[in-house]
Amino acid sequence: MQGLQDVPGLRGYGTTTYGTGRPRGFRELAREHALLPLRIFLGITFVYAGINKLTTHGFFRASGPESVGDMMRSVRDSSAVPALVDLALKSPGGFGYAIAIGELLVGLGTLVGLWGRLAALGGALISLSLWLTVSWQSQPYYMGNDLAYLMAWLPLLLGGAATFSLDALLASRRRRIV
């Protein structure tokens, strides 16, 4: 009978080390699943941020209360890369949709572990662009949350979605085929 630890995509779920029959210790399980809480947090946060933008009345407008256009104009002179803000201001609605849909896709990819490193790269790039534009003026620098998100994406970019993920399931299937 196949144990849960042997089910593709659920790597590390069981209580024994693959094929050895020896029990796995807490440290081994903790090391294997160390990125899972970060994946869940970032995934939920980015899905929520994307949905919030998509459902906020007036967000995609060039001006007005809660509009992306007014927000970008308000940070233009204090951003690290004003040219990036100017680029966004050429089409505030398009920029707003790109950020919202990007956050949603990055969050969903991170949660289900599909193309985990690509999702993490997308999350890091979104966070970097927001840090260089919207939260650059935060004083002291560590009060700007976009920098913290950028740093949080880096371990996922390096480690990928190794457990409880579609990436692990697909990798397992590829290994069986080859």
Side-chain angles (χ1 to χ4, degrees):
M1 176 180 230
Q2 184 180 28
L4 285 176
Q5 71 272 12
D6 301 318
V7 174
L10 293 181
R11 188 179 125 213
Y13 184 75
T15 58
T16 61
T17 302
Y18 316 103
T20 67
R22 72 173 173 84
R24 295 181 340 151
F26 176 76
R27 284 185 183 173
E28 196 171 314
L29 282 171
R31 184 174 26 258
E32 187 170 330
H33 300 299
L35 295 179
L36 196 55
L38 190 58
R39 260 183 58 207
I40 293 168
F41 170 75
L42 289 171
I44 289 172
T45 300
F46 268 57
V47 166
Y48 177 79
I51 290 172
N52 187 49
K53 286 173 181 64
L54 290 170
T55 59
T56 297
H57 179 71
F59 177 76
F60 300 105
R61 294 187 179 156
S63 63
E66 299 185 334
S67 71
V68 67
D70 280 356
M71 179 188 64
M72 296 309 286
R73 274 188 290 284
S74 73
V75 299
R76 192 224 177 263
D77 294 333
S78 62
S79 74
V81 187
L84 190 58
V85 177
D86 291 339
L87 182 64
L89 285 170
K90 289 183 188 228
S91 177
F95 174 74
Y97 276 110
I99 291 293
I101 292 169
E103 286 174 336
L104 190 58
L105 292 175
V106 162
L108 290 172
T110 301
L111 280 175
V112 301
L114 181 61
W115 300 325
R117 285 190 169 101
L118 183 60
L121 176 63
L125 290 174
I126 290 170
S127 297
L128 176 64
S129 67
L130 292 175
W131 177 54
L132 291 174
T133 56
V134 178
S135 62
W136 180 259
Q137 73 280 2
S138 297
Q139 293 293 328
Y141 76 93
Y142 53 82
M143 296 299 285
N145 64 348
D146 295 308
L147 177 60
Y149 282 109
L150 171 60
M151 293 299 116
W153 283 111
L154 296 182
L156 293 178
L157 181 59
L158 296 171
T163 60
F164 297 105
S165 68
L166 291 176
D167 285 349
L169 178 66
L170 295 171
S172 171
R173 286 188 177 179
R174 280 191 300 270
R175 281 192 298 272
R176 280 189 282 149
I177 291 171
V178 176

